[in-house]
Amino acid sequence: MENKRFETIYTQGKIETFKIIRDNETGVMYMFHYAGPTSGLTVMVDPDGKPLVDKDFKK
């Protein structure tokens, strides 16, 4: 089986879509938002501004 670097772990919506994507090497999570002709991707952060790591992530 092929190891995937990035994996979608949560999806919400159909026309306006939010996805949480996890980096499977670091556990860091990113939010992707898609709404018609626009989209955006950003790293998720904790209250201290540090990258948010998936609590269920196991290397």
Side-chain angles (χ1 to χ4, degrees):
M1 182 175 143
E2 175 185 337
N3 290 333
K4 294 182 181 180
R5 170 77 190 254
F6 298 98
E7 179 179 2
T8 300
I9 59 172
Y10 175 81
T11 302
Q12 173 184 309
K14 295 194 189 252
I15 295 173
E16 181 178 8
T17 304
F18 292 89
K19 292 184 178 187
I20 304 297
I21 301 165
R22 178 181 61 216
D23 179 335
N24 285 325
E25 288 190 11
T26 63
V28 173
M29 296 188 298
Y30 301 85
M31 184 188 71
F32 175 75
H33 177 249
Y34 171 80
T38 62
S39 63
L41 177 72
T42 189
V43 66
M44 297 175 71
V45 296
D46 68 13
D48 297 322
K50 296 179 183 174
L52 192 60
V53 176
D54 184 356
K55 64 180 172 54
D56 298 324
F57 174 69
K58 292 180 176 90
K59 206 170 189 184

